[in-house]
Amino acid sequence: MSKLVITDLRVTVDTEDGPKEILKGVTLTINEGETHAIMGPNGSGKSTLAYSIAGHPKYTITGGTVTLDGQDVLAMSVDERARAGLFLAMQYPVEVPGVSVSNFLRTAKTAIDGEAPKLRTWVKDVNAALQQLNLDPTFGTRNVNEGFSGGEKKRHEIAQLELLDPKVAVLDETDSGLDIDALKVVSDGVNRFRAREGKGVLLITHYTRILRYIEPDFVHVFVDGKVAESGGKELADQLEAEGYDRYLKPATA
Amino acid sequence: MTVTTDSVRSALEQAPAADRVESHLHPAGSFEVSDHTAPTGREEIWRFTPLKRLKGLHADAEFMRSATSCMWNTPEGVRVEGVSGDEARALRGISGLVPNTLWAARVLAEVPSSLLIDVPADTEVAEPIVVDLDGQDVTVTEAGHVAMRFGAHSKAIVVLNHTGSSTVAAVVEIAVGDGADVSVVSIQDWADDAVHLSHHQARVGRDATYKHTAISFGGDVVRMDANVTYDGPGGSAELLGLYFADAGQHIEHRIFADHTAPRTKSHAVYKGALQGEKAHTVWVGNVLIRKIAEGIETFEENRNLVLTDGCRADSIPNLEIETGEIEGAGHASATARFDDEQLFYLQSRGISEQEAQRLVVHGFFNDLIRKVGVPSIEDRLLTTVEAELAKNVLKDSAFGSGA
Ligand SMILES: Nc1ncnc2c1ncn2[C@@H]1O[C@H](COP(=O)(O)OP(=O)(O)OP(=O)(O)O)[C@@H](O)[C@H]1O
Ligand SMILES: [Mg+2]
């Protein structure tokens, strides 16, 4: 099972002028096997939603609930959420100086599984995951995200997705900054993950082009901290043609 | 996170036009004890050091019969020996050291013997020469002189390994011959009550390579000055330091790369972690580029990672330039707490907060540890970092996010 239910989620961030509400009541259900695309203009709160699900300390939850298979996600620490089966591919992955990719991956896998992976199969799995994402085998010796190109950072996120094998993946603009070849490589990785039994995906994007490679079951338009409209993948085509203007204009018509 | 970096440009702008620079980097030294006075604590070179805890080592403490056991190995072709009398006297000042403190002048004048490490010219010693100094009685105030002489084109590694409880003032002189390749490692792995005041002075010969590594974990007060001058052009010095201060500890490292010859290099990297109430570290990085020292390169860097509340890290890079003709010069100094974004990233992959902190601290020291270049010491350092972490970070989560 893997069912992520977000109900009326309200989130603020602290600013110099006091708390500012960013998410204004987000409701969304991702059933197992479903891929949902969230599309919205810059600053609409997409990353805030992603970070809030993952538990970033910068964001304060002021209302609503998030459950994964009925478990209260908001009550969990960041690492507990990951161990419960949530994964966030970040828009801006963080550099961790002095920590090698292979050490990082092994430590994460051990934490998620509750035991160290079998050395032989693990090395094979890591090499395969890196290779499928067009990452050099020596990648494992580099420090996490340090000096990675934008594309390498995103491919490294998807390599982690495949290796850590969560229940639900939140992908925050994994497509941004990728050229067309890298976009295909990353999309293939996400599709391999989706092909596994019962996985849920929340695909956050600003552009429709990734949806040509990763076909969503549902598309949600995200504006000003909440879902403004939901539909099937045809909604993406409509956004492609019309842009977000319709949602940004005051609803006088 | 605060990061300050400076480049040569800003340093040059600060340098006065006059030839002679008002600076504490030009002390007039003297071997005469009577030329020196005991410091009050207001002097630039003493202002951070808790003099009261030095048990008089900086002033008039009696240098008693040593209560520190001293053992070493003697690889083939090398002489390691305690010497006294005329031979010991002849070794005073072999690094070019002219004392600029009372305590160093006293050590050179009053200590009857020296530990001599003599590596003849053209001798390559594969195995590290390890001197184990194990303090037995902290109530004994004592002093020591070590003289290391590396002949031209020799190659050797010397490790001074300090353990146990001592109250000791030590002058270590290092003469690196032309073309030699020398690494000196000093490990301060003292018991909690040790007091250790030391001055390491090296003179680096023409085209020679010198690496000095200071590693300080234990002790109540540890202060080390690691200084370098150059005996000819082309010499290169790498000054490395790694320290980990716990509650109440004072660990102070000062370096001084005195570029006395053209086309010389100095590269300093010191990294420290602090944890616990009143853990205090000091790093003062002095670099002087003299008028004659054209075409030199220097870079110095100090980074501190503050793991808990109640610690203090002082970090002062000081670059003084008397010539405009330099290849490159710069410094960086940063003191930071755990980076929330790093911890979040690791935790979002299922890694617990403690384990994430552990990874970050190991990562912080990692590149430095790999630079030490002595495999047995690198392994030991990894273990020591782990043991230090166990005292605090791994015991309970000191601070940070997460439930
Ligand atoms: N610390 C903060 N202080 C003030 N405003 C903030 C802070 N953090 C986020 N915001 C604001 O919250 C809003 C939502 O930001 P968020 O990053 O979630 O948007 P986004 O939809 O992911 O945008 P993008 O498409 O650019 O990635 C923005 O208006 C942003 O400026
Ligand atoms: Mg965003």
Side-chain angles (χ1 to χ4, degrees):
Chain A
M1 235 189 32
S2 59
K3 182 174 178 179
L4 184 71
V5 181
I6 303 164
T7 311
D8 197 29
L9 186 65
R10 290 168 188 275
V11 173
T12 61
V13 292
D14 287 331
T15 70
E16 283 163 14
D17 315 320
K20 175 182 170 193
E21 186 166 58
I22 311 284
L23 298 189
K24 302 171 177 172
V26 179
T27 297
L28 204 62
T29 297
I30 297 163
N31 290 300
E32 66 172 46
E34 290 179 357
T35 296
H36 292 240
I38 289 195
M39 304 196 58
N42 292 127
S44 55
K46 304 182 297 296
S47 292
T48 303
L49 175 63
Y51 278 130
S52 301
I53 295 170
H56 194 291
K58 189 172 111 179
Y59 301 95
T60 310
I61 313 290
T62 54
T65 57
V66 179
T67 61
L68 178 64
D69 296 337
Q71 281 182 285
D72 181 2
V73 168
L74 300 179
M76 300 179 198
S77 63
V78 175
D79 48 307
E80 283 168 348
R81 296 178 196 206
R83 293 199 295 272
L86 285 172
F87 179 87
L88 169 61
M90 290 186 205
Q91 185 174 5
Y92 304 108
V94 182
E95 294 183 8
V96 191
V99 177
S100 71
V101 167
S102 56
N103 185 15
F104 165 64
L105 292 175
R106 190 171 5 87
T107 307
K109 185 66 175 171
T110 304
I112 299 260
D113 288 1
E115 60 177 357
K118 300 254 176 318
L119 194 64
R120 254 199 31 215
T121 48
W122 175 245
V123 171
K124 261 206 315 228
D125 290 349
V126 170
N127 287 340
L130 293 178
Q131 198 189 357
Q132 282 179 314
L133 286 154
N134 262 350
L135 293 166
D136 198 87
T138 61
F139 204 74
T141 64
R142 294 177 63 183
N143 291 336
V144 172
N145 292 318
E146 211 176 50
F148 290 11
S149 71
E152 283 171 338
K153 283 183 183 164
K154 298 302 177 72
R155 284 181 277 153
H156 177 229
E157 295 290 286
I158 300 306
Q160 293 172 53
L161 169 69
E162 291 197 71
L163 287 165
L164 300 180
D165 195 32
K167 291 177 176 174
V168 176
V170 179
L171 311 176
D172 189 6
E173 300 214 18
T174 300
D175 53 331
S176 65
L178 296 181
D179 61 29
I180 198 72
D181 292 332
L183 184 64
K184 281 183 191 158
V185 166
V186 160
S187 303
D188 287 347
V190 176
N191 286 328
R192 281 192 298 273
F193 172 73
R194 290 206 306 156
R196 295 179 194 170
E197 185 70 32
K199 303 297 183 187
V201 174
L202 186 60
L203 182 73
I204 294 173
T205 182
H206 188 77
Y207 306 102
T208 50
R209 66 175 189 154
I210 194 172
L211 303 183
R212 275 178 239 147
Y213 303 98
I214 304 171
E215 198 170 302
D217 302 301
F218 301 94
V219 174
H220 309 277
V221 184
F222 204 76
V223 181
D224 193 26
K226 50 177 182 275
V227 176
E229 189 175 356
S230 296
K233 60 177 188 286
E234 70 288 344
L235 187 53
D237 300 330
Q238 191 187 324
L239 284 172
E240 169 93 24
E242 299 172 11
Y244 296 112
D245 281 1
R246 187 156 68 86
Y247 301 98
L248 296 174
K249 289 199 184 100
T252 45
Chain B
M1 175 151 176
T2 40
V3 181
T4 47
T5 49
D6 275 89
S7 65
V8 60
R9 207 175 305 276
S10 64
L12 278 174
E13 279 160 13
Q14 288 155 15
D19 272 357
R20 197 67 198 165
V21 179
E22 253 337 300
S23 158
H24 71 278
L25 301 184
H26 294 270
S30 166
F31 288 96
E32 282 299 325
V33 172
S34 59
D35 288 343
H36 299 274
T37 52
T40 62
R42 286 188 297 275
E43 300 79 0
E44 174 59 35
I45 63 167
W46 289 106
R47 64 190 176 107
F48 292 108
T49 316
L51 296 180
K52 285 203 189 79
R53 284 154 68 187
L54 288 179
K55 301 191 179 167
L57 287 178
H58 61 296
D60 58 358
E62 184 193 348
F63 292 156
M64 298 185 232
R65 204 185 139 80
S66 174
T68 298
S69 90
C70 184
M71 308 219 290
W72 59 80
N73 63 329
T74 313
E76 208 181 302
V78 176
R79 183 177 168 215
V80 186
E81 205 176 330
V83 298
S84 55
D86 286 346
E87 191 171 14
R89 257 189 301 281
L91 293 170
R92 309 294 152 103
I94 58 157
S95 63
L97 172 67
V98 184
N100 66 332
T101 58
L102 172 64
W103 77 267
R106 281 189 64 211
V107 170
L108 295 196
E110 294 175 21
V111 175
S113 60
S114 291
L115 176 66
L116 171 65
I117 297 171
D118 212 354
V119 180
D122 300 310
T123 305
E124 291 201 9
V125 191
E127 180 192 353
I129 302 161
V130 180
V131 180
D132 284 307
L133 297 136
D134 187 40
Q136 313 286 331
D137 187 349
V138 78
T139 64
V140 170
T141 50
E142 58 181 281
H145 182 253
V146 179
M148 304 184 192
R149 195 160 52 195
F150 302 94
H153 303 289
S154 65
K155 184 169 184 200
I157 298 168
V158 176
V159 179
L160 301 177
N161 184 32
H162 302 90
T163 55
S165 294
S166 282
T167 300
V168 61
V171 172
V172 177
E173 296 196 66
I174 301 148
V176 181
D178 293 349
D181 180 352
V182 169
S183 171
V184 174
V185 181
S186 184
I187 303 172
Q188 288 66 243
D189 192 8
W190 295 109
D192 288 345
D193 56 356
V195 177
H196 186 198
L197 195 54
S198 67
H199 185 114
H200 289 203
Q201 182 77 37
R203 180 155 60 188
V204 178
R206 185 186 182 106
D207 298 326
T209 303
Y210 169 63
K211 172 148 58 176
H212 182 273
T213 308
I215 297 163
S216 301
F217 291 99
D220 177 46
V221 181
V222 171
R223 170 171 169 167
M224 176 187 288
D225 290 52
N227 294 10
V228 182
T229 65
Y230 300 82
D231 208 15
S236 157
E238 188 174 15
L239 305 174
L240 305 177
L242 190 161
Y243 48 90
F244 210 127
D246 295 328
Q249 269 188 308
H250 177 92
I251 296 182
E252 177 167 351
H253 284 283
R254 288 171 176 256
I255 59 161
F256 180 18
D258 187 353
H259 285 271
T260 45
R263 295 188 305 286
T264 48
K265 286 184 190 166
S266 63
H267 190 139
V269 185
Y270 270 67
K271 285 191 175 187
L274 298 86
Q275 59 182 359
E277 270 305 307
K278 296 213 160 59
H280 187 195
T281 65
V282 178
W283 179 83
V284 180
N286 289 312
V287 176
L288 174 61
I289 305 169
R290 295 191 188 248
K291 203 162 174 54
I292 175 183
E294 295 191 348
I296 70 103
E297 275 178 55
T298 178
F299 189 78
E300 53 169 352
E301 176 183 1
N302 175 231
R303 298 192 185 280
N304 295 295
L305 189 57
V306 177
L307 306 183
T308 69
D309 288 327
C311 311
R312 176 169 158 194
D314 287 296
S315 178
I316 302 176
N318 177 35
L319 181 59
E320 297 185 8
I321 302 174
E322 299 174 357
T323 173
E325 304 296 318
I326 51 181
E327 277 297 316
H331 55 78
S333 159
T335 297
R337 294 193 152 222
F338 276 123
D339 182 331
D340 280 346
E341 296 298 327
Q342 285 176 12
L343 294 181
F344 172 73
Y345 187 75
L346 295 170
Q347 285 179 262
S348 77
R349 271 45 178 161
I351 299 168
S352 70
E353 183 179 16
Q354 286 184 3
E355 182 71 7
Q357 291 181 340
R358 196 184 143 265
L359 275 177
V360 168
V361 174
H362 273 289
F364 175 72
F365 284 124
N366 225 344
D367 56 336
L368 183 62
I369 290 176
R370 269 178 289 184
K371 280 189 183 143
V372 173
V374 185
S376 59
I377 291 179
E378 292 180 14
D379 291 346
R380 178 172 160 193
L381 280 176
L382 292 173
T383 316
T384 314
V385 168
E386 196 64 34
E388 289 290 334
L389 285 172
K391 288 182 192 167
N392 220 309
V393 169
L394 300 184
K395 203 174 65 197
D396 51 43
S397 58
F399 60 83
S401 58

